[in-house]
Amino acid sequence: MTRPSLNKQPHEVASMFDDVAERYDLTNDVLSLGQDRVWRKEVAKAVDARPAQKILDLAAGTATSSLPFSRTGAYVVPCDFSLGMLQVGKRKHPWLPLTAGDATRLPFKDDTFDAVTISFGLRNVQDFDAGLREMYRVTKPGGRVVICEFSHPTWAPFRTVYTEYLMRALPPVARAVSSNPEAYVYLAESIRAWPDQPALAERLQKAGWSKVAWRNLTGGVVALHRGFKES
């Protein structure tokens, strides 16, 4: 079983997700106590996909995250670098154009998409600043980016409880429901090491995005960041 280190070598991260692909959606539902469904609804509202728009869903995994965009009539491209995830996704959603791709070297032309979104995947990109620049490159002028990622709870007492859950409760639960519990030890470690909300907003601005703002979900356990590419 694969557990990547926090230097996030791409082959290690891809292999980890290959290992957990079959039960990934179920495991996420259990570990988040069902909150992942709430978070994804908020992502869909923030992306605000419209009919005939082109939406790039990065780190799409099994493409569950892409379904809300598809239902609006938008053309959505689920993209991931785990072939195992894409294979499971293609079995579940054969009508979607699942695409293999690395977030730091996207296989798309400049100014292609009306919106680019990534949920719980930016944290796993080895050079996520390069990923933010690539998202900017493939977005049309006037288009938008929406990032949903684990973050830092804003209330100090809750932050302490949450950190304890991550490091103590999450691995045993993962052992019960996941095909690769070691992957969820990495998950806990990577969440703790991730930049807080203002720091991620600053990195978005440095990558070229304007009107950057964020909104906390579940007390800051998750944060939604949004930015725009100037026309």
Side-chain angles (χ1 to χ4, degrees):
M1 293 298 184
T2 304
R3 172 186 171 187
S5 61
L6 286 181
N7 66 10
K8 303 171 191 172
Q9 293 298 319
H11 68 281
E12 292 179 351
V13 177
S15 180
M16 176 191 73
F17 282 108
D18 290 346
D19 286 345
V20 301
E22 287 292 344
R23 303 181 72 183
Y24 182 71
D25 294 324
L26 169 65
T27 304
N28 285 348
D29 218 19
V30 171
L31 293 179
S32 71
L33 308 177
Q35 286 295 297
D36 62 315
R37 299 183 188 188
V38 176
W39 299 333
R40 292 193 188 283
K41 286 180 181 177
E42 293 302 319
V43 171
K45 290 179 188 175
V47 171
D48 192 25
R50 304 290 176 88
Q53 286 189 337
K54 292 181 179 178
I55 311 295
L56 176 61
D57 185 16
L58 285 177
T62 61
T64 298
S65 60
S66 303
L67 297 178
F69 312 127
S70 179
R71 293 186 190 114
T72 68
Y75 178 77
V76 57
V77 178
C79 182
D80 202 286
F81 75 162
S82 164
L83 297 182
M85 285 285 199
L86 293 172
Q87 287 165 357
V88 172
K90 198 63 179 176
R91 277 206 316 270
K92 291 183 175 181
H93 318 295
W95 65 91
L96 289 174
L98 285 92
T99 303
D102 183 337
T104 64
R105 295 185 300 276
L106 291 173
F108 307 107
K109 294 181 179 178
D110 296 359
D111 306 335
T112 297
F113 296 97
D114 296 283
V116 177
T117 183
I118 182 169
S119 294
F120 309 111
L122 188 62
R123 193 185 68 260
N124 298 314
V125 177
Q126 185 181 37
D127 183 354
F128 78 85
D129 290 308
L132 293 174
R133 292 192 297 270
E134 273 292 271
M135 292 176 211
Y136 186 86
R137 179 184 67 78
V138 302
T139 300
K140 293 178 181 178
R144 58 214 181 271
V145 66
V146 174
I147 296 168
C148 180
E149 189 53 88
F150 290 110
S151 199
H152 296 251
T154 54
W155 189 44
F158 176 56
R159 187 162 58 242
T160 302
V161 171
Y162 174 65
T163 303
E164 288 296 308
Y165 168 75
L166 281 178
M167 298 313 297
R168 296 190 181 186
L170 190 148
V173 174
R175 277 194 288 275
V177 296
S178 173
S179 53
N180 181 2
E182 283 296 302
Y184 289 87
V185 176
Y186 158 81
L187 171 72
E189 292 173 344
S190 65
I191 291 171
R192 290 181 69 182
W194 186 244
D196 65 10
Q197 292 89 323
L200 181 55
E202 184 178 347
R203 305 286 271 273
L204 275 158
Q205 291 167 338
K206 287 182 178 177
W209 298 98
S210 62
K211 300 178 184 175
V212 174
W214 74 85
R215 180 161 61 92
N216 290 316
L217 305 177
T218 319
V221 168
V222 164
L224 275 182
H225 282 71
R226 185 167 65 179
F228 293 86
K229 183 172 180 175
E230 291 186 354
S231 301

